[in-house]
């Protein structure tokens, strides 16, 4: 099996790192090309700086985190708290899909605590399909060509692994990230502005500790130090085969 | 514990009264400030009057019901059957959240028989979060300042307590409204135009009787005369603590 | 019971035939008037022809299939992969509902592998309700009058009968289509362009065979040769009575 | 020369009557089919009644005036003070053009005291051209076919015959309406609500007198009792020949 | 004659000061209430600072200039180079008109070198009329009531007093601002960021000198040291009487 | 003087060739880089082919004509008869301006017989200015950087050199194209589909002859065989110097 190309896309800077940087680290070790994308630049992530200013800070932080992971970084320049399930948004995410041409996509789960995450999930699911249809146009200046196939699509955990009512959402499978957990934590630490903001906004003062606890919990479910959980989208024409696990397991041998 | 400020917001005039007027009555008795809001003025609620005319009637009815409950009333002036999950709508509901500054929000459930209810639920969930982000702008003339925290968010019952397929949606907890049931019924009776319209449109001729039956059913589940059911939204940064029950129970002692 | 009027509406040309042509055939045999509608003309359904060209081909194929079923055919001229849950879309589907005036509606299920299907489902549910409200305007040139009642609403199977994660979605009931299965297959065979496209795009080379297998599986669940599965929408004001089964059973006697 | 079909379209109910009812009367006498259309139903034309109510009144008044003139009446249901030069508006006016299929169009002048008039003028000019292009689609349910030619297009006077700065806009030619002036005045008198509104709103208390004075002024310019002034749009592919005058003059002989 | 209320509104911070601060100074001396408004906060007015940052600077500068003129200042928060002639924009400007309730409005001319100026002119003309129609709604949270009359409307000079082709646009009348010219220059000097930006962007390094030269030129046309030129909008229902000159002349006696 | 970069942009394929191909030919002979752009692909330019099909034909024709002129060709993919003066359109034309980085722009005149031409003129004027503002964003995937200056802007003739009323619009100056007239005619002849369409649609059967007559008329005004007419936009910050004539005259020596 040739190495798959990977796209990890989530709503805001730091979401990718929180949910799947350990897995990305493992895939990178295997030699996979990795693209990290965020829908927004995180323009609402500050109580002190204005939208442009905090966005500039966070684009730099996201770039630094991607550099650490050996990934190419894109920001799609949506606005925080304004992601909508409309055609302009579909076209933009589809253009990313055609530019990145991934074999495997990791993205936000369809149910989470806020619309930015949930709508991102829908848009990425749509785009993974739409990108392969040559008659679907993205209205960009130099549009990338249609992809040749639909990628395998995976949803990461919602925050805290719960649904709207606080009930756990069971993962389908868990990836052992014990080896790359340090890298994950370092990549997360790149988002220093967000750590500050969350402390002020939500009274959560333990950006890295929370990440460690959650990763340890998911790891414990499969008897390893640290883990990250996923569910695969297996709608009709999407690959039903779990290529992500196959790649990781093949490497383990 | 100081008394929480309450916002009850649902799609149409009478929805708040049907689903949670008894609970609002109890909170008001405790001394809480209560705000009632409807997304629309109910402009499609008539087979006889035109949109403007029936809306004028129903704004008055909603105001009368709110007066009875000792609540301030706002109509957000969306249009019946036209509530959409877009950014203009998010901004308007967020502005309400910033004006009302509630500690507790009661709103429509995410799954119900029609889009007006479901989209209201999504918009209110979004707004409860967005209101606390200073960089999120509502584009109103004299916008209220960002809120200082995310309120506790509760979903009322869907109509008939069922999902799309007629299956029951189990409530998380039920509030005993036996003492305030009469008030609830009186507040509902303020919506006399709607009683007429439902009779003609859906062949349901028992506006008040239906409300009584449903409240009695919910009450029976906890062994009291009348009850109203709720589920709390416990997504990541929303309060996980059931402050609504705490306030009501503290009062009971 | 007088014979009900039937509307079957799904996203793309061939979706109706795949999911419910056998049931439509039985209803037609009973003497029901049947209307088939597709949201789009299938403009993305080709890797070779441009949008206009393939749409022209597929409108003709859909018309041929409807002719075979003895149904009137409408195309609502949405665009493939661009169906959105907004008010312009609601109005257009509501206008169809008012023109077709069905007693029974068969449509896409709320959870399926792609947005075109899921949003169609939401729009049809909205339209079935909205059509009956005289104050709801569709902004068409010669708008049809409001309907006199909300029709009974049924969801067909998602493709492969699965949810996003590949888990089966249990049907509520299954219709025996053994007698009309040949007609169903013939009507599906009218969509020859789609058969080609699916072969190239998704590597699925067995348009008719897949349909036969799926219909046989659903049939086996009730011990007949071929079947089609449905779930009824039983939200508050929608008919809760299973009129579809009643009509079919009455005929069976 | 066979008799031309006539379309007179202006922004609000009463604009057509004020500016060209005398000419329409003459054309009708000759046997021409006449269509009168208003962009809006005049929903802002009252300080007392709400939008729906005054619109209902004014649709009836416009219909009565059209009946008097022997004309078919259409209201395009734009909203007062909200006419915009966008594609949805172009499509709607184009659909009218294709339904009415006029040989001669009389419409608002490109410069007048308010946007509703000026934008109507632009939209009608656009529509007269667009209607003849088969590939231009109006997105209506049962769209009329493309027209076979571009009609001759005429602009009526701006109100008071002046530009924004109060300077006279010279007409190109004036039609003698002495014979039909009584009819014009009667048709104008049908708009009784507007007479009331203008009196209250603008302090202009002489609806019919003002019309008489203006018509007399225009008449005096060509030495007759009453006249109406026009300018012909002679952009590239529009008929350059003054067919309106030809028809009227031929009749005079 | 009681003192009129004045509204001066132009596209960007500094446009009002350049074109009519001398006249505003004279009106203020007479005791008139003056409101200054800008459509945008000038977010594109820098080659160094980002949109939010330069907008914050320029809001402060505009406020300082208004303070100097004794005027209340509003920013309508449109975006530079994005002002459009659509209904959302009309509503926002109409709301200003209803809040400021002016007797006299000074605004941008209909022909100038760029769309922001020209579209502002159209929107203000529309709003002056629309504000007086009670049925016209602005969709703001606490909308101001409709005005009781249409204000007298004046257009200031285009930049350089020329049309698109460099031809002079003759003013209708010129106001002697010799006494208040120093104030005008000081108010203009408040916009220090803009002075910098223009120097870099357009190679015009003489913000105040240019203003002095232009004011002197306009003054010379009526034989005074400094002047500002205007044209009055005299469309149908707008005041035709030159109340601005009357007020100033009455004061001169 | 170093050689200027040229951008000629008009609404539809063939408009550039009709109005300024002779001038482009002369500029190309001097060694200037030339970019030709059309707003649309001409999708309404056929009574026989559908939109996609005729657009494909006309893109090829426009490319062939540009090849003949030694120019790079862009199509901005607006739709025929749908060009609007809105922000999405402004952004797209601004992106072209930033990609082409012209010193001289030739475009449609502000007054012509149809909106596509007039709105193109406005959008290009806007874009020439907007492109130089770094804070103005075009929302493209890989946006070109802001330009360093505003280009000199020229309007070509309206069709037939007339305004809406058939009155001549006097040119500011005329370029002698006698030497390059053959090239102009050949480039126009590339648009063979349009020649056919105009013959059917407007009864104008003399595509090349009309062009020859018009060029000869303009030439006669300055005493040469063939000419093309222009007016320069001299709004405030646009170059007031006639660099186009300077380049051509310098070359003549």
């Amino acid at each position: 099996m040739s190495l798959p190309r990977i796209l990890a896309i989530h709503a805001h800077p730091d979401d990718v790192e929180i949910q799947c940087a350990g897995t990305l680290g493992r895939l990178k070790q295997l030699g996979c090309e990795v693209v990290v994308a965020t829908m927004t630049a995180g323009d609402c992530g500050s109580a002190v700086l204005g939208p442009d200013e905090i966005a500039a800070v966070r684009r730099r932080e996201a770039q630094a985190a991607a550099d650490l992971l050996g990934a190419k970084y894109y920001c799609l320049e949506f606005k925080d708290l304004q992601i909508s399930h409309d055609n302009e948004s579909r076209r933009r995410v589809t253009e990313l899909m055609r530019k990145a041409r991934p074999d495997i996509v990791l993205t936000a789960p369809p149910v989470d605590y806020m619309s930015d995450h949930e709508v991102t999930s829908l848009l990425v699911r749509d785009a993974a399909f739409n990108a392969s249809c040559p008659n679907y146009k993205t209205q960009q200046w130099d549009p990338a060509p249609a992809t040749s196939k639909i990628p395998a699509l995976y949803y990461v955990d919602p925050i805290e692994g719960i649904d709207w009512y606080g009930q756990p959402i069971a993962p389908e499978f868990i990836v052992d990230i014990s080896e790359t957990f340090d890298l994950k934590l370092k990549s997360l630490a790149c988002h220093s502005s967000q750590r500050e903001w969350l402390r002020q906004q939500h009274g959560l003062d333990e950006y890295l500790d929370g990440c460690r606890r959650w990763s340890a919990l998911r790891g414990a479910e499969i008897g390893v130090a640290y883990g990250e959980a996923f569910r695969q989208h297996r709608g009709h024409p999407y690959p039903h085969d779990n290529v992500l696990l196959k790649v990781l397991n093949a490497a383990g041998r």
Side-chain angles (χ1 to χ4, degrees), chain A residues 21-84:
Chain A
T23 302
L24 294 180
R26 283 195 58 193
L27 290 163
K28 187 70 198 180
Q29 285 177 344
L30 299 179
C32 297
E33 262 184 83
V34 178
V35 173
V36 167
T38 61
M39 296 291 278
T40 82
D43 56 289
C44 282
S46 174
V48 179
L49 300 177
D52 284 1
E53 293 165 309
I54 183 63
V57 168
R58 297 188 68 188
R59 268 189 220 95
R60 283 194 300 269
E61 295 173 350
Q63 184 65 59
D67 288 350
L68 213 62
L69 295 168
K72 191 168 169 52
Y73 172 63
Y74 287 112
C75 175
L76 273 69
E77 299 296 342
F78 287 80
K79 298 293 176 194
D80 273 7
L81 312 178
Q82 298 189 40
I83 304 180
S84 279

Side-chain angles (χ1 to χ4, degrees), chain A residues 163-223:
Chain A
D163 70 9
W164 298 358
Y165 311 111
Q167 298 306 305
I169 292 183
E172 181 192 336
F173 66 95
I174 290 168
V175 170
D176 178 0
I177 61 157
S178 307
E179 285 175 63
T180 53
F181 179 71
D182 279 353
L183 176 66
K184 175 184 174 115
L185 221 56
K186 276 181 197 149
S187 74
L188 187 56
C190 294
H191 298 276
S192 48
S193 73
Q194 186 69 353
R195 207 174 345 162
E196 276 319 295
W197 154 256
L198 284 175
R199 192 179 296 151
Q200 287 174 45
Q201 181 70 1
H202 300 152
L204 304 173
D205 189 23
E206 34 160 40
Y207 202 53
L208 302 189
D209 286 357
C211 175
R212 179 186 303 273
R213 271 202 313 278
W214 183 251
S215 303
L217 260 168
R218 283 306 196 206
E221 296 183 40
I222 56 165

Side-chain angles (χ1 to χ4, degrees), chain A residues 108-202:
Chain A
V111 169
D112 206 336
Y113 75 95
M114 74 174 312
S115 283
D116 274 1
H117 290 203
E118 297 174 352
V119 179
T120 294
S121 185
L122 279 175
L123 290 171
V124 171
R125 181 192 64 162
D126 291 356
F129 182 90
N130 298 1
S132 70
C133 299
N135 281 0
Y136 184 85
K137 305 299 183 194
T138 62
Q139 300 184 0
Q140 288 296 311
W141 193 271
D142 289 313
T147 55
S148 56
K149 66 170 201 294
I150 298 174
L153 176 63
Y154 294 86
Y155 300 122
V156 303
D157 264 338
I159 305 289
E160 296 186 30
I162 51 174
D163 70 9
W164 298 358
Y165 311 111
Q167 298 306 305
I169 292 183
E172 181 192 336
F173 66 95
I174 290 168
V175 170
D176 178 0
I177 61 157
S178 307
E179 285 175 63
T180 53
F181 179 71
D182 279 353
L183 176 66
K184 175 184 174 115
L185 221 56
K186 276 181 197 149
S187 74
L188 187 56
C190 294
H191 298 276
S192 48
S193 73
Q194 186 69 353
R195 207 174 345 162
E196 276 319 295
W197 154 256
L198 284 175
R199 192 179 296 151
Q200 287 174 45
Q201 181 70 1
H202 300 152

Side-chain angles (χ1 to χ4, degrees), chain A residues 229-247:
Chain A
F230 299 91
R231 285 188 296 170
Q232 186 171 4
H233 183 84
R234 287 201 177 80
H236 179 50
Y238 294 76
H240 285 38
D241 195 29
N242 194 336
V243 289
L244 175 59
L245 263 195
K246 272 199 188 157
V247 169

